[in-house]
Amino acid sequence: MKYLHTMIRVRDIDASLRFFCEGLGLKETRRTENDAGKFTLVFLAAPGSPDAEIELTYNWGSTEDYGSARNFGHLAFRVDDIYQTCAHLQSMGYTINRPPRDGHMAFVRSPDLISVELLQDGHLPPQEPWASMPNTGVW
């Protein structure tokens, strides 16, 4: 058995690509446009784990509300510098829902409310403004 990918339905492919590629640093590995089925599939992978992909599924013209159901937990990525990653995402307008107060773990949500856990490779000492920053919303 081999793990292939996790599929996420998205409402705005450009907003999702901005979050996952520009924000988190994932790379697009391939894309499929299906005119008959009226959908686009975009596969993304982190540079350090190219075989573990995320499939973004965009259904053209869909008005379905994918909601924020809790039946899907979260995606998790190991990062080299959690403070730098969170600051970068924050500068792009994303809310850090669970700040990295402990220098090890943070949560942020994609434009489609997918919860993303960021885990520091090792531990960094607590650092302001993160150490005293409260949680925001849910993750």
Side-chain angles (χ1 to χ4, degrees), residues 60-89:
W60 307 349
S62 175
T63 58
E64 181 180 354
D65 179 11
Y66 299 131
S68 59
R70 304 270 303 160
N71 62 343
F72 176 82
H74 63 266
L75 301 172
F77 295 95
R78 181 181 304 126
V79 297
D80 291 329
D81 186 325
I82 198 162
Y83 297 132
Q84 180 182 10
T85 302
C86 287
H88 175 64
L89 288 166

Side-chain angles (χ1 to χ4, degrees), residues 46-62:
S49 51
D51 290 335
E53 294 178 314
I54 297 173
E55 171 192 330
L56 303 180
T57 297
Y58 173 64
N59 295 299
W60 307 349
S62 175

Side-chain angles (χ1 to χ4, degrees), residues 10-78:
V10 300
R11 289 181 286 266
D12 183 331
I13 194 74
D14 294 326
S16 295
L17 288 171
R18 179 175 183 264
F19 176 81
F20 286 107
C21 296
E22 292 178 40
L24 291 176
L26 275 66
K27 305 294 181 198
E28 184 173 327
T29 59
R30 64 188 184 283
R31 180 184 292 236
T32 301
E33 304 277 344
N34 187 306
D35 292 331
K38 298 182 180 178
F39 64 85
T40 301
L41 306 179
V42 179
F43 290 84
L44 308 174
S49 51
D51 290 335
E53 294 178 314
I54 297 173
E55 171 192 330
L56 303 180
T57 297
Y58 173 64
N59 295 299
W60 307 349
S62 175
T63 58
E64 181 180 354
D65 179 11
Y66 299 131
S68 59
R70 304 270 303 160
N71 62 343
F72 176 82
H74 63 266
L75 301 172
F77 295 95
R78 181 181 304 126

